[in-house]
Each structure stands twice: as C-alpha cells, then as structure tokens.
Amino acid sequence: MTDVVVPSTEVARRTIRRTDWVAENAAFIDCRTPGSDRKSNYAFIGPGVSQNSKQFINLSEPHGYNVGAAGMPNGVNNNLHLHFTAEVFINFSGEFRIRWGVDGKAGEYVSGDGDIISVPSWIFRGFTNEGPDDGLLLTVLGQDVTGGIIWGPSVLKEAESYGLHLTADNRLIDTVAGDELPPDVPLIKPMKQQYIDELTPYSVEEMRGRVTAPSDRTYSARGLLCQGLPGGNGQLALVIGYGMSEDRRQVPRLHEPHSFNMAWLKATPGEGMLRHRHNASSTLLVKSGTWRVWVNAGAEEEAVDLGPQDMLSVLPGSWRRIELLEAGDDAAEEGTGELLVVNAGDGRVRLEWAPELVEAAFDAGWMLDPNGYLAPVAVLVTATEDD
C-alpha cells in the first residue's frame, strides 16, 4: 500500500466538530408545512438529498457515501418521501416514530437512543420526534450521487399551496420569496398510482430485522489482530457489511449492498485500535466518550481529540490508531465509549497493521490467515520442535 501522509491542515479540515455544524432550515419542499417547519438539515459529507442550493456542506469531496443529520424538536415531522439509494438512520438522541408506506400506514417502529435503522430504498418513509427534547438522527446515504428523493403525493400538493415547487433537477423554487418557475425545466409531479402499487411492501417484522438496537449488538473479543495487546482491546459489533472484522465467525446484521459498511467500536479507557490503515474512505463518528485518533506515523503523527457528535474523515491509505480517553455517561455499556466506523464499499475492508504490531501479535500467538482472518500461529506455522 502506498504511504499517504496527511498534512496538519488537511487533518484539521477533515475534523468536523459539533460546533462546526451549520443548519439549513429550508432544505426541503415541506419547510412551510405545519409540523415540519422547525426541522434543521445538516450536510457533513456530501450534499445528501438537500434541495436548497444554500445548504452548507462541511466536506464536499466524494467518499462513496453521504453523511448528514436531521435535528428536530418535539412533535416535528419529516414527511413521507422515497430514496433511490440506501438511507441509514443513527439515533444519537431522542425518540422517533418511523413510519412507512405511501400513506405512512404500512407500519411503524419507535426508535430509541443508539438504534441504527436501515430503511430499504424505493419505499416511502417519514418520521416524527416524539421525545421530550430536541432529537437528532444522523443519516448515512448510499453512493456519492443519491439522485434526490421523491415526495409523497400529498406532500407535494400541500407544499404547492405554500408556493413551493421542485424542479426535475432537484431545485427548490419558492414563488413566495420571489423565485420564478423555470421555463426550460419541468416541475416534479406526484408519483402515479400505478408505480406506487408496484413498490415493495415491508411488514413490521421485516423492518425490525433492519434495526440494530443496542441490545442487538454482538461484539467480538477476537475480531482484530491488535486485540490482546496493550491498547488494542477495542471491540467491533458489525451492523452493515463485514467491514473490518478479522473474526471469521462474525456476521453483520445486514448483508445487502449499501455502498458502505458500518460497525460500532467500543472500548474502555486506554484501549481502542492500534496502528492500521486501509484503502477505503472512512469516517469516525463519536457517540459517547472522548476519543483520541492519531493520524500518520513517526514524526508526522498528529493527534485529534473527539467528543460526542464530533467526527473525522480519514483519508484512504493513511495510518491511524484510536484510543478511548474517557468513558461516556450515556454509553450503552457503563464504563465504555462508543464510536461508529463507516467505510466505503460493499466488500470486506482488509486492514494493513503496522509491522511492529504484527510482530507483537505473532509473539502472542496470533496472525492472519491467507483469507485475512485471525488464526493461531501454532496452526499456521509448522512446528520445528519435537513434541
């Protein structure tokens, strides 16, 4: 793998702190609809599906996925709409009632803090914050270009009564604010019933299988080569795709392609992942605790401390190591911190470990087999001593 050294200025640019978030309160066509007029849209990596050209984007370069968030006070709705690529919700705070179907009556799931919900593409979905406080749903969307969204027929009709229209090239036109309807670009019309009837239905049971609640997480104590070494005892729980796991028995909750993989990393203070790198775009999102991420190696190594709701985009091919400094008060497991790892791609992410770590793991009796999974040295290396 070619060495990639990330300059200090680039490390800083790729660090997105909670204080760097910039809300757009008129990102979508339902921004004047009563009950939906107080939601905030954030675009951290890529534009997502925002329909407002004024949407602030923290990092615009392609990652293979988009990362954003919806901030919603109690009682606020996100109206029914349809995505063409994967949409995954990460509940960072609040209680959200997620509903699906063209009329929102095909099924419901009430999401709690720490849930991850992968909503199938090509179905209508919406959600309401039913918690007592402001709620926050982070979103990861598949692909660099999502294709925008299709709104439910009733949403488009109601928005039109408030002077809001959507063009075929995903631009929001506000005639009340003085925008003129474009003469050369058609407006989006409600989806015809014949195509609505062809959409795949999902039962409540099927949708629950697409949810990874904190109680559904399965962590591996032997899923990384660094486990068993001082500072390397973070554990992965796979959510979407096989990702970085080196445990041949570990299976994710969801296997289907999303254009990215996702896993929880938990650790106790002083533990995490030792130095490694890989060829995929990667984003680290902190759920709880204070984490330190070192980027680069040797004299170029630089540390970044991340707190809850901070994130870091790590360049493909660059060395990184991760350590929990302080446990989080709201972690699913007391005394730990939680960090979400998102990597681009549908396949496995094959890690390259620092040479000194490979040597230390070997001395401790572990190495990777030809398929990249952990195995005992005693099995893979022919013994030279008499029994």
Side-chain angles (χ1 to χ4, degrees), residues 114 122 181 202:
W122 284 93
L181 296 176
Y202 283 83

Side-chain angles (χ1 to χ4, degrees), residues 31-339:
C31 62
R32 289 203 184 100
T33 302
S36 301
D37 53 351
R38 293 184 296 134
K39 61 183 177 180
S40 299
N41 188 70
Y42 301 91
F44 308 126
I45 297 175
V49 291
S50 176
Q51 295 163 336
N52 193 324
S53 60
K54 298 178 181 178
Q55 175 78 60
F56 179 83
I57 305 169
N58 294 84
L59 290 176
S60 58
E61 59 264 39
H63 280 60
Y65 51 83
N66 290 250
V67 181
M72 298 167 58
N74 168 263
V76 170
N77 297 315
N78 192 314
N79 283 296
L80 293 161
H81 61 283
L82 175 155
H83 285 254
F84 307 114
T85 67
E87 181 179 40
V88 175
F89 299 132
I90 306 107
N91 189 331
F92 260 42
S93 66
E95 183 177 291
F96 289 86
R97 185 176 297 274
I98 297 170
R99 56 196 183 280
W100 60 93
V102 68
D103 56 1
K105 297 180 181 179
E108 294 183 339
Y109 172 77
V110 178
S111 168
D113 188 30
D115 281 358
I116 294 180
I117 306 106
S118 173
V119 185
S121 59
W122 284 93
I123 71 166
F124 286 99
R125 81 292 307 272
F127 47 93
T128 303
N129 176 14
E130 295 187 345
D133 305 310
D134 288 358
L136 181 66
L137 279 182
L138 267 68
T139 58
V140 181
L141 305 176
Q143 309 298 337
D144 291 314
V145 178
T146 65
I149 56 180
I150 294 178
W151 290 98
S154 62
V155 179
L156 287 174
K157 292 177 182 177
E158 186 167 10
E160 186 175 351
S161 70
Y162 294 104
L164 295 168
H165 307 267
L166 186 63
T167 65
D169 55 359
N170 202 39
R171 284 182 293 134
L172 186 62
I173 305 298
D174 186 349
T175 57
V176 171
D179 294 345
E180 295 184 359
L181 296 176
D184 54 343
V185 180
L187 298 179
I188 293 291
K189 300 296 183 182
M191 193 174 188
K192 293 182 178 179
Q193 188 62 45
Q194 70 181 92
Y195 301 117
I196 292 174
D197 293 341
E198 293 176 359
L199 298 177
T200 303
Y202 283 83
S203 67
V204 173
E205 292 75 17
E206 288 173 318
M207 194 65 76
R208 179 60 183 85
R210 304 181 66 85
V211 175
T212 303
S215 60
D216 297 321
R217 301 177 195 172
T218 303
Y219 288 94
S220 174
R222 184 49 69 186
L224 297 165
L225 184 63
C226 64
Q227 287 175 328
L229 301 177
N233 290 295
Q235 297 184 16
L236 289 176
L238 301 180
V239 179
I240 297 169
Y242 287 87
M244 302 187 301
S245 178
E246 295 172 333
D247 181 346
R248 63 183 180 274
R249 299 183 182 90
Q250 196 169 21
V251 178
R253 291 276 291 177
L254 288 176
H255 303 74
E256 70 185 62
H258 281 62
S259 88
F260 57 86
N261 56 81
M262 184 181 292
W264 287 108
L265 175 68
K266 77 169 182 179
T268 55
E271 301 293 342
M273 288 182 66
L274 298 179
R275 186 173 288 113
H276 64 283
R277 62 181 178 178
H278 57 75
N279 281 325
S281 298
S282 184
T283 303
L284 309 176
L285 303 96
V286 175
K287 178 67 171 65
S288 64
T290 302
W291 296 77
R292 178 166 292 168
V293 182
W294 285 269
V295 181
N296 302 322
E300 290 86 11
E301 188 175 51
E302 182 169 342
V304 179
D305 289 354
L306 304 173
Q309 300 179 12
D310 292 345
M311 63 189 78
L312 174 66
S313 167
V314 187
L315 273 173
S318 60
W319 290 107
R320 78 288 310 260
R321 58 188 176 103
I322 307 167
E323 179 186 346
L324 179 69
L325 300 181
E326 184 177 345
D329 294 335
D330 60 345
E333 184 177 326
E334 186 176 356
T336 68
E338 299 164 341
L339 180 149

